[in-house]
Amino acid sequence: QITLKESGPVLVKPTETLTLTCTVSGFSLYSARMRVNWIRQAPGKALEWLAQISPNDEKAYSTSLKTRLTISRDTSTSQVFLTMTNMDSVDTGTYYCARAEMASVSFDYWGQGTLVAVSS
Amino acid sequence: DIQMTQSPSTLSASVGDRVTITCRASQSIISWLAWYQQKPGKAPKRLIYKASSLESGVPSRFSGSGSGTEFTLTISSLQPDDFATYYCQHFDNYSWTFGQGTKVEIK
Protein backbone atom coordinates (compact mmCIF):
# COMPACT_ATOMS: atom_id res chain seq x y z
CA GLN A 1 0.00 0.00 0.00
CA ILE A 2 1.42 3.33 -1.07
CA THR A 3 1.11 6.21 1.35
CA LEU A 4 2.60 9.62 1.84
CA LYS A 5 2.25 11.58 5.06
CA GLU A 6 3.22 15.15 5.75
CA SER A 7 4.32 16.46 9.12
CA GLY A 8 5.58 19.73 10.44
CA PRO A 9 4.67 22.78 12.49
CA VAL A 10 1.13 24.06 12.47
CA LEU A 11 2.22 27.63 13.18
CA VAL A 12 5.30 29.57 12.18
CA LYS A 13 6.16 33.21 12.68
CA PRO A 14 6.87 35.64 9.86
CA THR A 15 10.51 35.54 8.70
CA GLU A 16 11.02 32.07 10.18
CA THR A 17 12.03 29.00 8.20
CA LEU A 18 9.49 26.23 7.67
CA THR A 19 10.62 22.61 7.54
CA LEU A 20 8.18 19.95 6.43
CA THR A 21 8.64 16.20 6.27
CA CYS A 22 6.99 13.75 3.89
CA THR A 23 7.26 10.13 4.98
CA VAL A 24 6.55 7.68 2.20
CA SER A 25 5.80 3.99 2.31
CA GLY A 26 5.00 1.33 -0.23
CA PHE A 27 7.61 2.52 -2.70
CA SER A 28 11.27 3.46 -2.71
CA LEU A 29 12.64 6.95 -3.24
CA TYR A 30 14.93 5.23 -5.76
CA SER A 31 11.96 3.94 -7.80
CA ALA A 32 12.54 4.64 -11.44
CA ARG A 33 10.06 7.08 -12.99
CA MET A 34 8.67 8.10 -9.59
CA ARG A 35 9.33 11.51 -8.15
CA VAL A 36 8.21 13.09 -4.89
CA ASN A 37 6.81 16.60 -5.05
CA TRP A 38 5.60 19.31 -2.74
CA ILE A 39 2.46 21.22 -3.68
CA ARG A 40 0.62 23.82 -1.65
CA GLN A 41 -2.79 25.45 -1.59
CA ALA A 42 -3.64 28.74 0.04
CA PRO A 43 -7.15 28.90 1.54
CA GLY A 44 -9.70 29.05 -1.25
CA LYS A 45 -6.99 29.14 -3.93
CA ALA A 46 -5.63 26.84 -6.60
CA LEU A 47 -2.94 24.23 -6.26
CA GLU A 48 0.60 25.53 -6.61
CA TRP A 49 3.57 23.28 -7.34
CA LEU A 50 6.66 23.95 -5.24
CA ALA A 51 9.45 21.41 -5.68
CA GLN A 52 10.40 17.95 -6.90
CA ILE A 53 13.10 15.42 -6.11
CA SER A 54 14.00 12.60 -8.48
CA PRO A 55 15.39 9.10 -7.87
CA ASN A 56 18.88 10.32 -8.81
CA ASP A 57 18.53 13.20 -6.31
CA GLU A 58 17.96 15.74 -9.07
CA LYS A 59 15.90 18.68 -7.81
CA ALA A 60 13.51 21.09 -9.47
CA TYR A 61 11.83 24.19 -8.06
CA SER A 62 9.05 26.59 -8.81
CA THR A 63 10.58 29.52 -10.66
CA SER A 64 8.81 32.05 -8.47
CA LEU A 65 9.88 30.47 -5.17
CA LYS A 66 13.19 28.81 -5.94
CA THR A 67 15.28 31.25 -3.91
CA ARG A 68 13.36 30.28 -0.78
CA LEU A 69 12.99 26.51 -1.26
CA THR A 70 15.20 23.51 -0.62
CA ILE A 71 14.05 19.94 -1.17
CA SER A 72 16.09 17.04 0.17
CA ARG A 73 15.68 13.44 1.20
CA ASP A 74 16.82 10.74 3.58
CA THR A 75 16.51 7.45 1.77
CA SER A 76 17.27 5.46 4.94
CA THR A 77 14.04 6.73 6.51
CA SER A 78 12.06 7.18 3.28
CA GLN A 79 11.56 10.85 4.01
CA VAL A 80 11.54 13.91 1.80
CA PHE A 81 11.98 17.34 3.32
CA LEU A 82 11.02 20.82 2.22
CA THR A 83 12.43 23.95 3.74
CA MET A 84 11.01 27.35 2.92
CA THR A 85 12.76 30.40 4.24
CA ASN A 86 11.46 33.83 5.19
CA MET A 87 7.87 32.74 5.75
CA ASP A 88 5.12 35.30 5.29
CA SER A 89 1.37 35.36 5.87
CA VAL A 90 0.81 34.70 2.16
CA ASP A 91 2.48 31.32 2.68
CA THR A 92 -0.37 30.19 4.91
CA GLY A 93 -2.08 27.13 3.50
CA THR A 94 -2.13 23.39 3.17
CA TYR A 95 1.09 21.73 2.03
CA TYR A 96 0.86 18.39 0.25
CA CYS A 97 3.44 15.89 -0.80
CA ALA A 98 2.54 13.82 -3.81
CA ARG A 99 4.10 11.09 -5.90
CA ALA A 100 4.53 11.81 -9.57
CA GLU A 101 4.34 8.82 -11.85
CA MET A 102 6.34 9.82 -14.89
CA ALA A 103 4.83 7.15 -17.14
CA SER A 104 1.56 9.08 -16.91
CA VAL A 105 3.20 12.43 -16.06
CA SER A 106 0.74 13.03 -13.25
CA PHE A 107 0.33 12.69 -9.51
CA ASP A 108 -1.07 9.30 -8.62
CA TYR A 109 -0.77 9.40 -4.82
CA TRP A 110 -1.13 12.32 -2.43
CA GLY A 111 -0.64 12.83 1.25
CA GLN A 112 -3.49 14.16 3.34
CA GLY A 113 -1.83 17.56 3.57
CA THR A 114 -0.62 19.59 6.51
CA LEU A 115 -2.01 23.01 7.34
CA VAL A 116 0.57 25.69 8.06
CA ALA A 117 -0.37 29.11 9.41
CA VAL A 118 2.04 32.02 9.38
CA SER A 119 1.31 34.49 12.13
CA SER A 120 3.08 36.38 14.84
CA ASP B 1 6.65 28.44 -18.80
CA ILE B 2 3.47 26.99 -20.23
CA GLN B 3 0.32 28.51 -18.80
CA MET B 4 -2.84 26.49 -18.23
CA THR B 5 -6.16 28.33 -18.38
CA GLN B 6 -9.31 26.64 -17.14
CA SER B 7 -12.85 27.72 -17.85
CA PRO B 8 -15.28 28.37 -16.42
CA SER B 9 -14.03 29.19 -12.93
CA THR B 10 -17.44 28.30 -11.49
CA LEU B 11 -20.16 26.16 -12.96
CA SER B 12 -23.68 25.74 -11.59
CA ALA B 13 -25.39 22.55 -12.62
CA SER B 14 -28.07 20.09 -11.57
CA VAL B 15 -27.91 16.39 -10.93
CA GLY B 16 -28.14 14.60 -14.25
CA ASP B 17 -26.66 17.46 -16.28
CA ARG B 18 -23.84 16.98 -18.75
CA VAL B 19 -20.92 19.12 -17.65
CA THR B 20 -17.85 20.17 -19.63
CA ILE B 21 -14.77 21.90 -18.27
CA THR B 22 -12.09 23.26 -20.59
CA CYS B 23 -8.35 23.62 -20.08
CA ARG B 24 -6.25 25.53 -22.60
CA ALA B 25 -2.47 25.46 -22.77
CA SER B 26 -0.46 28.46 -23.93
CA GLN B 27 1.38 26.16 -26.35
CA SER B 28 1.03 22.60 -27.51
CA ILE B 29 1.43 20.00 -24.79
CA ILE B 30 0.54 17.06 -27.02
CA SER B 31 -1.52 14.87 -24.64
CA TRP B 32 0.37 15.35 -21.39
CA LEU B 33 -2.58 16.53 -19.36
CA ALA B 34 -4.24 15.23 -16.22
CA TRP B 35 -7.44 16.09 -14.36
CA TYR B 36 -8.03 16.00 -10.62
CA GLN B 37 -11.09 16.29 -8.40
CA GLN B 38 -10.78 17.96 -5.03
CA LYS B 39 -13.38 18.09 -2.29
CA PRO B 40 -13.17 20.53 0.64
CA GLY B 41 -10.53 19.56 3.17
CA LYS B 42 -9.27 16.68 1.06
CA ALA B 43 -6.29 16.05 -1.17
CA PRO B 44 -6.85 16.07 -4.91
CA LYS B 45 -7.72 12.78 -6.57
CA ARG B 46 -6.54 11.88 -10.06
CA LEU B 47 -9.39 11.25 -12.50
CA ILE B 48 -7.79 11.33 -15.94
CA TYR B 49 -4.19 11.13 -17.18
CA LYS B 50 -2.64 11.43 -20.64
CA ALA B 51 -5.66 13.54 -21.58
CA SER B 52 -8.11 10.65 -21.93
CA SER B 53 -7.04 7.68 -19.78
CA LEU B 54 -9.46 7.02 -16.96
CA GLU B 55 -7.96 6.32 -13.55
CA SER B 56 -8.83 2.89 -12.21
CA GLY B 57 -11.94 3.01 -10.04
CA VAL B 58 -13.18 6.33 -11.41
CA PRO B 59 -16.76 6.15 -12.71
CA SER B 60 -17.13 5.97 -16.48
CA ARG B 61 -19.29 9.11 -16.50
CA PHE B 62 -15.98 10.99 -16.36
CA SER B 63 -14.09 11.34 -19.62
CA GLY B 64 -11.27 13.43 -20.97
CA SER B 65 -10.45 14.49 -24.49
CA GLY B 66 -8.27 16.83 -26.47
CA SER B 67 -4.73 17.27 -27.65
CA GLY B 68 -2.38 20.09 -28.49
CA THR B 69 -3.66 23.14 -26.66
CA GLU B 70 -7.31 22.43 -25.86
CA PHE B 71 -8.61 19.77 -23.51
CA THR B 72 -11.95 18.96 -21.93
CA LEU B 73 -13.19 17.06 -18.93
CA THR B 74 -16.76 15.86 -19.33
CA ILE B 75 -19.10 14.46 -16.73
CA SER B 76 -21.86 12.80 -18.71
CA SER B 77 -24.49 12.81 -15.96
CA LEU B 78 -23.62 14.82 -12.88
CA GLN B 79 -24.09 12.98 -9.61
CA PRO B 80 -24.33 14.40 -6.07
CA ASP B 81 -20.82 13.13 -5.28
CA ASP B 82 -19.38 15.12 -8.21
CA PHE B 83 -19.89 18.56 -6.70
CA ALA B 84 -16.26 19.55 -6.16
CA THR B 85 -13.43 21.57 -7.66
CA TYR B 86 -11.60 20.23 -10.69
CA TYR B 87 -8.05 21.02 -11.77
CA CYS B 88 -6.08 20.33 -14.90
CA GLN B 89 -2.32 19.75 -14.70
CA HIS B 90 0.64 19.62 -17.05
CA PHE B 91 4.35 18.84 -16.71
CA ASP B 92 7.01 20.34 -18.91
CA ASN B 93 10.70 21.05 -18.58
CA TYR B 94 11.00 20.13 -14.90
CA SER B 95 8.00 22.23 -13.95
CA TRP B 96 4.47 21.24 -13.01
CA THR B 97 1.55 23.58 -13.69
CA PHE B 98 -2.05 23.48 -12.50
CA GLY B 99 -5.03 25.30 -13.89
CA GLN B 100 -6.88 27.76 -11.69
CA GLY B 101 -9.64 25.27 -10.93
CA THR B 102 -13.33 24.94 -11.78
CA LYS B 103 -15.80 24.72 -8.95
CA VAL B 104 -18.90 22.71 -9.82
CA GLU B 105 -21.79 23.91 -7.67
CA ILE B 106 -25.33 22.78 -7.17
CA LYS B 107 -27.79 24.84 -9.21
Side-chain angles (χ1 to χ4, degrees):
Chain A
Q1 181 187 5
I2 293 168
T3 64
L4 301 93
K5 186 170 185 179
E6 307 89 348
S7 58
V10 174
L11 179 66
V12 297
K13 291 181 168 56
T15 75
E16 287 187 340
T17 294
L18 170 69
T19 299
L20 296 173
T21 300
C22 174
T23 303
V24 311
S25 64
F27 72 101
S28 167
L29 295 179
Y30 292 117
S31 295
R33 300 186 70 73
M34 302 296 176
R35 303 176 186 179
V36 176
N37 287 257
W38 285 97
I39 295 153
R40 73 176 179 179
Q41 187 171 39
K45 302 297 186 183
L47 300 164
E48 178 184 21
W49 174 73
L50 299 176
Q52 172 179 273
I53 193 162
S54 298
N56 63 356
D57 205 32
E58 187 173 30
K59 292 136 184 172
Y61 297 100
S62 161
T63 302
S64 61
L65 291 167
K66 68 180 303 180
T67 60
R68 299 173 54 205
L69 296 173
T70 302
I71 191 169
S72 60
R73 69 183 184 181
D74 182 342
T75 54
S76 67
T77 58
S78 295
Q79 293 178 317
V80 174
F81 309 100
L82 181 75
T83 63
M84 180 179 288
T85 61
N86 195 25
M87 293 291 286
D88 182 83
S89 58
V90 299
D91 298 313
T92 291
T94 299
Y95 287 71
Y96 296 99
C97 60
R99 188 181 85 164
E101 179 195 50
M102 300 314 291
S104 64
V105 198
S106 60
F107 300 106
D108 58 349
Y109 288 91
W110 294 69
Q112 64 192 18
T114 187
L115 180 59
V116 178
V118 183
S119 175
S120 55
Chain B
D1 291 358
I2 295 176
Q3 307 303 315
M4 309 300 295
T5 303
Q6 267 183 254
S7 61
S9 55
T10 306
L11 188 160
S12 297
S14 301
V15 172
D17 284 354
R18 182 181 180 88
V19 165
T20 299
I21 299 168
T22 298
C23 185
R24 290 187 174 88
S26 57
Q27 63 190 76
S28 177
I29 58 172
I30 309 176
S31 294
W32 298 115
L33 186 98
W35 291 97
Y36 301 85
Q37 177 192 66
Q38 187 181 32
K39 295 182 178 178
K42 300 294 187 182
K45 171 188 172 183
R46 188 174 68 175
L47 300 175
I48 302 284
Y49 58 93
K50 290 184 185 176
S52 60
S53 296
L54 189 67
E55 175 75 13
S56 175
V58 172
S60 58
R61 63 181 179 272
F62 291 92
S63 64
S65 64
S67 64
T69 61
E70 186 154 335
F71 300 83
T72 59
L73 172 70
T74 300
I75 309 172
S76 60
S77 177
L78 197 65
Q79 298 301 301
D81 191 49
D82 303 337
F83 292 97
T85 300
Y86 295 85
Y87 293 93
C88 61
Q89 165 262 305
H90 170 66
F91 173 77
D92 178 69
N93 196 26
Y94 297 96
S95 178
W96 298 83
T97 305
F98 292 93
Q100 312 98 304
T102 296
K103 185 175 183 179
V104 177
E105 298 181 327
I106 300 172
K107 190 172 185 179

